[in-house]
Amino acid sequence: MKFKNRISLYRALMFPMIAILLILFTVFTTLWQFDYRWITTEHSQKLLTALNENIETKLVRYLNEPLRVNQMIAATISLRKDYLNLDASNIQELLKKSTETYSSELPQISVYGYGDENQNFVGIRINDDGSKSLMLKDSRTEGFLNI
C-alpha cells in the first residue's frame, strides 16, 4: 500500500512541539493572571488597612486633644488655687493664654471655659472670623452673664 498523504519528518516533529508550546503558554498565562489578581488583592487589602488605621489614629487624636487641653487647664487652675477668688480674673488670663497657645494647633476647639460651684463662669469663644469673645459671670458682673 502506498501512502499518498505522507507527512514529512519536519511536520511530524513540529506539530507536537508547537502544540506543547501553545499549551505551556496558555497554562503560564492563566497562572500569571491568577497570581497577578491574588497579588493585587493582597496589596489593596494591605493598603486599605493602612489607610484605615491612619485615619482612625488621626480621628482619635482629633477627638482626644480637646479633653487633654481641658484637663491641663483644670490642673493648672487647681494647682494655683485660682478657683478660690471671688472674681475670675486669674482664670480669665489663663484661658486667654491657652486660647493664644492652642487655637492654631487645635481648630476643633471653639470655646475655652471654666465654671465653678459658686456659679462663676469664664469663657473665651473663638468666632468664625477669628475674633474672640469673652463670656463672664462673676463678682465683677454682679452674677450676670456678659458676653
Side-chain angles (χ1 to χ4, degrees):
M1 238 203 263
K2 277 190 159 180
F3 294 116
K4 290 186 180 183
N5 295 335
R6 285 188 185 186
I7 299 175
S8 68
L9 181 60
Y10 177 76
R11 285 187 181 172
L13 292 176
M14 286 310 286
F15 284 137
M17 292 290 279
I18 290 174
I20 290 173
L21 285 175
L22 285 175
I23 291 171
L24 285 175
F25 180 74
T26 305
V27 168
F28 282 128
T29 303
T30 305
L31 289 175
W32 179 78
Q33 285 180 348
F34 174 74
D35 191 41
Y36 184 74
R37 285 183 191 146
W38 180 78
I39 288 172
T40 305
T41 304
E42 287 293 314
H43 283 295
S44 3
Q45 286 177 351
K46 287 179 184 179
L47 182 63
L48 287 174
T49 302
L51 285 171
N52 188 28
E53 289 174 0
N54 188 22
I55 290 171
E56 186 176 326
T57 302
K58 286 183 178 181
L59 182 62
V60 166
R61 182 173 179 255
Y62 184 82
L63 295 175
N64 283 337
E65 287 300 317
L67 175 64
R68 289 187 48 213
V69 169
N70 190 25
Q71 289 171 339
M72 288 189 302
I73 292 171
T76 304
I77 291 171
S78 177
L79 288 173
R80 292 177 21 186
K81 301 194 186 291
D82 287 336
Y83 57 89
L84 297 176
N85 298 337
L86 291 177
D87 70 348
S89 57
N90 292 341
I91 296 172
Q92 178 182 340
E93 288 302 314
L94 175 67
L95 290 178
K96 183 178 177 186
K97 288 179 186 175
S98 299
T99 304
E100 292 168 358
T101 303
Y102 297 117
S103 64
S104 63
E105 297 173 24
L106 302 170
Q108 68 267 35
I109 301 176
S110 59
V111 174
Y112 294 81
Y114 175 79
D116 64 14
E117 298 174 341
N118 300 327
Q119 298 178 350
N120 294 327
F121 178 76
V122 178
I124 297 179
R125 178 177 60 200
I126 302 172
N127 300 320
D128 291 335
D129 61 356
S131 64
K132 296 174 182 149
S133 301
L134 174 65
M135 299 178 285
L136 185 62
K137 179 184 174 194
D138 65 357
S139 62
R140 295 178 286 176
T141 63
E142 299 171 358
F144 293 103
L145 179 63
N146 289 341
I147 298 177

